[in-house]
PDB file of all heavy atoms in Angstrom:
ATOM      1  N   ARG A 349     -61.481 -26.309  49.164  1.00 98.00           N
ATOM      2  CA  ARG A 349     -62.774 -26.269  49.828  1.00 98.00           C
ATOM      3  C   ARG A 349     -63.178 -27.708  50.168  1.00 98.00           C
ATOM      4  O   ARG A 349     -63.004 -28.613  49.336  1.00 98.00           O
ATOM      5  CB  ARG A 349     -63.856 -25.684  48.927  1.00 98.00           C
ATOM      6  CG  ARG A 349     -63.783 -24.217  48.621  1.00 98.00           C
ATOM      7  CD  ARG A 349     -65.120 -23.786  48.033  1.00 98.00           C
ATOM      8  NE  ARG A 349     -65.040 -22.638  47.169  1.00 98.00           N
ATOM      9  CZ  ARG A 349     -65.072 -21.369  47.582  1.00 98.00           C
ATOM     10  NH1 ARG A 349     -65.125 -21.108  48.871  1.00 98.00           N
ATOM     11  NH2 ARG A 349     -65.038 -20.379  46.696  1.00 98.00           N
ATOM     12  N   PRO A 350     -63.743 -27.946  51.356  1.00 98.00           N
ATOM     13  CA  PRO A 350     -64.244 -29.289  51.662  1.00 98.00           C
ATOM     14  C   PRO A 350     -65.248 -29.793  50.636  1.00 98.00           C
ATOM     15  O   PRO A 350     -65.322 -31.004  50.384  1.00 98.00           O
ATOM     16  CB  PRO A 350     -64.892 -29.106  53.043  1.00 98.00           C
ATOM     17  CG  PRO A 350     -64.146 -27.972  53.664  1.00 98.00           C
ATOM     18  CD  PRO A 350     -63.828 -27.041  52.522  1.00 98.00           C
ATOM     19  N   ALA A 351     -66.007 -28.882  50.021  1.00 98.00           N
ATOM     20  CA  ALA A 351     -66.985 -29.307  49.008  1.00 98.00           C
ATOM     21  C   ALA A 351     -66.305 -29.954  47.814  1.00 98.00           C
ATOM     22  O   ALA A 351     -66.919 -30.813  47.152  1.00 98.00           O
ATOM     23  CB  ALA A 351     -67.822 -28.114  48.554  1.00 98.00           C
ATOM     24  N   TRP A 352     -65.064 -29.580  47.526  1.00 98.00           N
ATOM     25  CA  TRP A 352     -64.353 -30.219  46.413  1.00 98.00           C
ATOM     26  C   TRP A 352     -64.077 -31.680  46.749  1.00 98.00           C
ATOM     27  O   TRP A 352     -64.252 -32.562  45.904  1.00 98.00           O
ATOM     28  CB  TRP A 352     -63.045 -29.497  46.125  1.00 98.00           C
ATOM     29  CG  TRP A 352     -63.188 -28.056  45.741  1.00 98.00           C
ATOM     30  CD1 TRP A 352     -64.351 -27.384  45.476  1.00 98.00           C
ATOM     31  CD2 TRP A 352     -62.128 -27.119  45.595  1.00 98.00           C
ATOM     32  NE1 TRP A 352     -64.069 -26.074  45.175  1.00 98.00           N
ATOM     33  CE2 TRP A 352     -62.722 -25.879  45.230  1.00 98.00           C
ATOM     34  CE3 TRP A 352     -60.743 -27.177  45.734  1.00 98.00           C
ATOM     35  CZ2 TRP A 352     -61.966 -24.725  45.002  1.00 98.00           C
ATOM     36  CZ3 TRP A 352     -59.980 -26.038  45.522  1.00 98.00           C
ATOM     37  CH2 TRP A 352     -60.590 -24.832  45.150  1.00 98.00           C
ATOM     38  N   LEU A 353     -63.639 -31.931  47.975  1.00 98.00           N
ATOM     39  CA  LEU A 353     -63.385 -33.309  48.393  1.00 98.00           C
ATOM     40  C   LEU A 353     -64.689 -34.107  48.411  1.00 98.00           C
ATOM     41  O   LEU A 353     -64.709 -35.282  48.017  1.00 98.00           O
ATOM     42  CB  LEU A 353     -62.729 -33.328  49.772  1.00 98.00           C
ATOM     43  CG  LEU A 353     -62.498 -34.695  50.418  1.00 98.00           C
ATOM     44  CD1 LEU A 353     -61.756 -35.644  49.490  1.00 98.00           C
ATOM     45  CD2 LEU A 353     -61.760 -34.547  51.741  1.00 98.00           C
ATOM     46  N   GLU A 354     -65.775 -33.495  48.835  1.00 98.00           N
ATOM     47  CA  GLU A 354     -67.064 -34.188  48.856  1.00 98.00           C
ATOM     48  C   GLU A 354     -67.486 -34.597  47.441  1.00 98.00           C
ATOM     49  O   GLU A 354     -67.959 -35.723  47.221  1.00 98.00           O
ATOM     50  CB  GLU A 354     -68.120 -33.286  49.491  1.00 98.00           C
ATOM     51  CG  GLU A 354     -67.891 -33.043  50.986  1.00 98.00           C
ATOM     52  CD  GLU A 354     -68.759 -31.924  51.520  1.00 98.00           C
ATOM     53  OE1 GLU A 354     -69.631 -31.428  50.763  1.00 98.00           O
ATOM     54  OE2 GLU A 354     -68.566 -31.530  52.691  1.00 98.00           O
ATOM     55  N   ALA A 355     -67.314 -33.688  46.484  1.00 98.00           N
ATOM     56  CA  ALA A 355     -67.660 -34.008  45.096  1.00 98.00           C
ATOM     57  C   ALA A 355     -66.752 -35.106  44.548  1.00 98.00           C
ATOM     58  O   ALA A 355     -67.208 -36.017  43.830  1.00 98.00           O
ATOM     59  CB  ALA A 355     -67.562 -32.759  44.236  1.00 98.00           C
ATOM     60  N   PHE A 356     -65.486 -35.032  44.884  1.00 99.00           N
ATOM     61  CA  PHE A 356     -64.528 -36.049  44.446  1.00 99.00           C
ATOM     62  C   PHE A 356     -64.878 -37.412  45.036  1.00 99.00           C
ATOM     63  O   PHE A 356     -64.849 -38.434  44.346  1.00 99.00           O
ATOM     64  CB  PHE A 356     -63.121 -35.622  44.867  1.00 99.00           C
ATOM     65  CG  PHE A 356     -62.045 -36.628  44.564  1.00 99.00           C
ATOM     66  CD1 PHE A 356     -61.900 -37.162  43.295  1.00 99.00           C
ATOM     67  CD2 PHE A 356     -61.162 -37.025  45.554  1.00 99.00           C
ATOM     68  CE1 PHE A 356     -60.892 -38.084  43.016  1.00 99.00           C
ATOM     69  CE2 PHE A 356     -60.155 -37.935  45.290  1.00 99.00           C
ATOM     70  CZ  PHE A 356     -60.013 -38.467  44.017  1.00 99.00           C
TER      71      PHE A 356
END
Side-chain angles (χ1 to χ4, degrees):
R349 290 195 206 275
W352 300 352
L353 175 52
E354 292 168 7
F356 176 52

